[in-house]
Amino acid sequence: GLMNLLDGAYKSMEAAGGWSAEMDAPSAEVVNYITLQSFVLAVVFATCQGAHEYGHYSMSQLNKLKVSTPTLIPSILTGITTTINRIEKPFENRAQLAKFSLAGPLVGMIVSIVIYVFGLQATPLNIGEGINNLPLLPLGIMQRSNLAVGVANLVMGQGFVELYSSTNESFIPLSPVAIAGFFGMVVNALAMAPYGRSDGGRTSTALFGRSGAQGISFFTSIMILFLGLISNDAILFYFLFVTFFQGEQEIPCRDEVAEPDNTTAFLAGISWFLMLLILLPS
């Protein structure tokens, strides 16, 4: 993700006349531009992930749950693959497990979507407003998310994404806030996939029991692998990480019989619906 941003930044500055490939080195103006855009992207992306962790933290404090400090798992594709919050003491029941697990990705996805919308609104539509000075997101990456394309067309005008696709453009100019929101959506949606000991896997275990969650996890692993192979390297990278490091189920709750309430199940359904919208290609 960051390498694509930097490449797009160089292309933007070259188009604007600030730097060309024939020059020996980029000017101080170009370096400052890339530094600023990268800083904004990093801070906003950290905000998206911070919202995810706040969701977990708030649930752990509300229910007095004992969990570890989150461990960040880096990625060369999206900056962060996921975060790991180890459960250090068994939860009282499946309801606590469900609420803790889905709070992070649900809050993270909502915040990321809001940030993505704000970033789109901050993206100018013509050259006179500075569109040539924006970093560029590869069009193929954006089209791997049905929700990202749909929201972009809704905010920027119907056919916004298709306009770049029809002219054989490889990149689409977006504000760094929009790009950070986009990657925030993808990372949080991946965390909600019901596979292994991910947040989605824990939620699935809480709602459907261990035997039901195993079947869902197996089906999800096939779908994630398929999507990763045909369209999205980030999904493939996530599949490999969960398979080798988080493939086993979570430790049992003290009460494995009582099921979560209908409200929790409804919120889980909303979270999985958002996950599908974000991860399925347009």
Side-chain angles (χ1 to χ4, degrees):
L2 180 58
M3 293 306 297
N4 286 322
L5 171 68
L6 297 179
D7 182 57
Y10 276 112
K11 291 179 183 294
S12 296
M13 292 301 293
E14 184 174 2
W19 178 75
S20 68
E22 287 74 24
M23 294 182 181
D24 293 333
S27 65
E29 178 186 0
V30 173
V31 173
N32 291 337
Y33 165 79
I34 295 175
T35 301
L36 176 61
Q37 299 294 326
S38 301
F39 176 77
V40 171
L41 188 149
V43 169
V44 177
F45 180 71
T47 300
C48 296
Q49 195 58 35
H52 177 120
E53 295 308 323
Y54 178 77
H56 286 315
Y57 175 79
S58 62
M59 284 295 104
S60 67
Q61 292 298 301
L62 182 64
N63 294 289
K64 296 180 172 55
L65 307 175
K66 188 168 179 148
V67 296
S68 68
T69 302
T71 302
L72 295 177
I73 307 301
S75 168
I76 60 173
L77 301 172
T78 57
I80 294 175
T81 299
T82 187
T83 55
I84 297 177
N85 297 273
R86 288 187 300 103
I87 296 177
E88 298 182 336
K89 183 179 179 181
F91 292 176
E92 288 298 323
N93 49 53
R94 287 159 55 185
Q96 286 186 350
L97 179 62
K99 291 175 182 177
F100 171 79
S101 301
L102 71 87
L106 178 57
V107 173
M109 283 189 289
I110 291 173
V111 170
S112 296
I113 291 170
V114 172
I115 287 175
Y116 179 62
V117 170
F118 283 155
L120 290 172
Q121 292 175 335
T123 300
L125 289 172
N126 57 65
I127 295 175
E129 294 174 338
I131 193 172
N132 273 351
N133 293 325
L134 293 176
L136 303 174
L137 179 69
L139 185 59
I141 291 180
M142 187 178 190
Q143 290 175 323
R144 293 171 189 169
S145 171
N146 194 24
L147 183 65
V149 171
V151 171
N153 285 333
L154 181 64
V155 174
M156 306 298 287
Q158 194 61 38
F160 171 72
V161 177
E162 288 73 13
L163 174 64
Y164 287 91
S165 179
S166 64
T167 56
N168 296 319
E169 293 286 344
S170 300
F171 296 86
I172 186 167
L174 293 174
S175 75
V177 175
I179 294 176
F182 171 81
F183 284 114
M185 290 191 300
V186 171
V187 170
N188 281 282
L190 284 172
M192 196 59 204
Y195 180 39
R197 268 195 308 170
S198 66
D199 290 328
R202 287 170 170 172
T203 304
S204 177
T205 299
L207 290 178
F208 305 112
R210 293 186 174 271
S211 59
Q214 282 182 333
I216 293 172
S217 181
F218 176 74
F219 175 77
T220 302
S221 68
I222 295 175
M223 294 302 299
I224 290 178
L225 177 60
F226 177 73
L227 283 175
L229 290 174
I230 67 169
S231 68
N232 199 322
D233 294 338
I235 294 179
L236 181 60
F237 189 85
Y238 184 78
F239 165 81
L240 294 173
F241 170 77
V242 175
T243 298
F244 288 105
F245 297 102
Q246 286 193 298
E248 68 277 10
Q249 286 196 325
E250 191 51 77
I251 61 174
C253 300
R254 295 182 184 276
D255 178 4
E256 288 274 307
V257 178
E259 299 180 354
D261 56 74
N262 292 334
T263 301
T264 303
F266 175 76
L267 291 175
I270 293 295
S271 300
W272 280 321
F273 178 68
L274 286 175
M275 176 204 73
L276 290 174
L277 287 179
I278 292 170
L279 296 182
L280 290 179
S282 61

